[in-house]
Amino acid sequence: MDHTTGAPSVPPVSRELFTFAVRLALRAGRLSAEAFHGDRPAARKPDGTEVASAVSAVESFVRSELAAAFPEDAVLFGEDAVSGEGAGQWAGTSGRRWVIGPVDGAREFADRVPTFSCNVAYEDAYGPAVGIVNLPMSRQLVAAGRGIGCRLLLGEDPDPLEALRTGHGRLRAGGRTELSGARTQARNMAEWPETLLTALHRRVFLVPAGGGVLDVLAGRADALVVAGPALGYGGLAPLPVIVAEGGGRVTDLTGAPVLEGDGSVLITNGALHDEFLEIVAASGEGHDARAVLADPHPDWAAGGAALCAELLAALAPAAGRVEHIGSTSVPGMAAKPVFDLQVSVADLEAAAGAFDAPLAARGFVRSPYEADHVPAGRDDDPARWAKRMWSRRGGPGPDVNLHVRRAGSPNERLALLFRDWFRAHPEAVPAYARFKRELAHRTADMGSYAEVKDPVVDLIVEVAEPWAAATGWRP
């Protein structure tokens, strides 16, 4: 307990676990570096993306090491994992999780561009605990552990325990306080919005991204900006610990926590951070509510079930049933980190009046949306697709969209059919997840995202209907 604030203290990560993580990243990096100069026949992920077969070998090695050393921990592999989004994770029972980018930058690796990294992150009950970015081609590894600092380890086989004991290689961000002319590394600059590129170009010195977070903490750059296509969770997960222990600051370009943001990144020494955010805001970027997709999380199923049980009890007797729907209810599906739940009721108006008070007490706000999209080609009366909706953002508890629909209505049925068809066809999950990621990257806001996605959902339902008829599926 922190007796000055009354808040529970957060313990430092164990040195033994930190050492294991560093050595795992080093060995994975050596495997990828050895393969980099050799023959790398192409392989394909389930979603059709071409990657080097060496990525699969690194991933298999990491899997076996973690299964042997920490069999109860959950593991999530990043977007470049060959196993794909459906098989790129396994659930654990410990409440702890490893997030692995076995070869982060598989496309660069396959194109023989030596800028890829091997990333390792570890999350426990207190949040991010270890972050590692290994640059095996330059033999530089940045490693940080919560409460034990951030270090740069060099060479083929550095000793992390020796670095902890001596303090050798400790990284701390520089103290520059003048924004004008700040050396700012820019990643994906060719895909930045023109307004953002122009606004920053007028104030700072933009250069291509090099060592990224390492260069900021080592003083070779004053900031790093990642815009354009969103980074996946595997690339983001190591950053909070590395930057915090290195004396800097990291958010997305709207100022949101980087693991909860829109997939953009801003890393600074801290002193320049707010000025950067002001420039971004003034450029007009970062104001729209972009579609933000997260890698599938092993706890989504249990979290959805717990929310359903809680709300069924709170909304009885008007709630006939509460079900977990949407992408977070489908194993292996990338999704917005928001639970979609469906409440089935006999009477929408009566339920709306009964639900307002108990939902408000749990942080929910009534939405003005009172109808669902009617699928293309149907001449239904839109009144048949009526609903009521509440949402919760920022707690207490997880973010939720609560859809209240009439029992037996076509929109109640469609939500359950969509979920159950994907559960019955896991081979289709990676392709749909890839479509959503590409769409999220290319659309500016949630409205545009939904407008394009709705017709695709209609097509999926057209495929699902014959399956429902053939199997006797019922909602």
Side-chain angles (χ1 to χ4, degrees):
M1 176 72 74
D2 184 337
H3 295 289
T4 63
T5 65
S9 57
V10 177
V13 70
S14 79
R15 295 184 171 221
E16 292 76 16
L17 188 142
F18 173 79
T19 298
F20 171 87
V22 170
R23 289 177 173 157
L24 178 70
L26 284 168
R27 292 171 66 190
R30 282 197 290 272
L31 283 174
S32 62
E34 290 167 3
F36 181 80
H37 294 293
D39 293 331
R40 298 188 300 284
R44 285 191 179 272
K45 292 165 58 175
D47 65 6
T49 304
E50 187 175 276
V51 295
S53 60
V55 178
S56 179
V58 178
E59 182 184 336
S60 296
F61 162 74
V62 173
R63 282 180 178 276
S64 64
E65 292 293 303
L66 291 176
F70 298 96
E72 297 180 352
D73 288 359
V75 180
L76 173 66
F77 283 86
E79 291 179 295
D80 285 330
V82 175
S83 55
E85 293 169 282
Q89 61 172 325
W90 71 76
T93 58
S94 66
R96 300 180 296 269
R97 181 170 73 159
W98 296 84
V99 184
I100 308 295
V103 179
D104 191 48
R107 179 176 298 174
E108 289 83 356
F109 182 97
D111 291 341
R112 298 183 183 271
V113 178
T115 57
F116 62 92
S117 64
C118 297
N119 298 343
V120 174
Y122 179 77
E123 302 166 344
D124 61 15
Y126 300 94
V130 173
I132 298 168
V133 174
N134 182 18
L135 303 169
M137 300 306 293
S138 60
R139 295 184 180 178
Q140 299 180 97
L141 181 145
V142 184
R146 187 181 60 223
I148 60 175
C150 178
R151 286 168 174 79
L152 172 61
L153 306 179
L154 302 174
E156 180 73 21
D157 190 24
D159 185 345
L161 281 177
E162 178 69 9
L164 289 175
R165 185 182 66 81
T166 63
H168 180 72
R170 184 148 194 161
L171 291 171
R172 285 304 277 185
R176 182 187 179 97
T177 59
E178 174 59 43
L179 181 67
S180 181
R183 188 176 180 86
T184 302
Q185 290 192 1
R187 180 170 172 179
N188 302 331
M189 195 187 307
E191 299 182 70
W192 281 19
E194 183 177 351
T195 53
L196 176 64
L197 182 62
T198 302
L200 286 176
H201 177 68
R202 288 171 176 166
R203 294 292 308 278
V204 302
F205 177 36
L206 290 175
V207 297
V213 64
L214 166 59
D215 286 348
V216 176
L217 298 184
R220 295 191 287 266
D222 300 306
L224 168 68
V225 175
V226 182
L231 291 187
Y233 196 85
L236 299 172
L239 297 180
V241 178
I242 290 175
V243 178
E245 294 293 326
R249 184 178 170 192
V250 58
T251 66
D252 76 357
L253 288 175
T254 73
V258 72
L259 298 186
E260 302 168 18
D262 62 8
S264 62
V265 177
L266 172 62
I267 299 174
T268 72
N269 63 0
L272 302 175
H273 209 89
D274 287 338
E275 287 190 80
F276 268 99
L277 292 176
E278 289 172 5
I279 292 175
V280 174
S283 75
E285 298 301 323
H287 290 290
D288 292 325
R290 294 183 61 88
V292 180
L293 297 186
D295 290 329
H297 196 289
D299 294 339
W300 280 348
L307 285 166
C308 287
E310 174 194 347
L311 290 173
L312 183 61
L315 302 179
R321 63 179 182 177
V322 183
E323 298 216 36
H324 185 193
I325 61 170
S327 292
T328 57
S329 70
V330 178
M333 180 72 78
K336 300 187 298 293
V338 179
F339 288 93
D340 281 281
L341 307 180
Q342 176 170 272
V343 183
S344 300
V345 301
D347 187 308
L348 275 180
E349 288 302 328
F355 291 173
D356 271 328
L359 289 175
R362 288 167 172 78
F364 286 83
V365 176
R366 182 83 167 267
S367 166
Y369 298 108
E370 296 191 346
D372 282 312
H373 159 77
V374 179
R378 299 185 64 152
D379 57 1
D380 290 18
D381 180 350
R384 297 188 65 214
W385 294 75
K387 73 173 179 180
R388 300 294 182 267
M389 183 175 174
W390 286 258
S391 62
R392 180 173 70 189
R393 297 292 187 270
D399 290 353
V400 177
N401 291 327
L402 188 67
H403 309 264
V404 180
R405 297 177 172 120
R406 279 192 297 264
S409 65
N411 46 346
E412 182 218 30
R413 179 183 181 278
L414 184 146
L416 299 173
L417 174 60
F418 180 87
R419 178 197 69 186
D420 290 353
W421 185 84
F422 269 115
R423 286 179 174 179
H425 297 83
E427 69 280 5
V429 169
Y432 183 60
R434 180 168 178 79
F435 157 73
K436 292 204 304 176
R437 288 192 185 281
E438 288 297 321
L439 179 58
H441 292 172
R442 296 173 186 274
T443 52
D445 54 59
M446 280 298 301
S448 301
Y449 176 83
E451 285 180 7
V452 178
K453 191 178 73 148
D454 280 343
V456 177
V457 172
D458 295 347
L459 291 173
I460 292 169
V461 171
E462 287 298 310
V463 174
E465 289 290 3
W467 168 81
T471 61
W473 175 88
R474 293 291 183 273

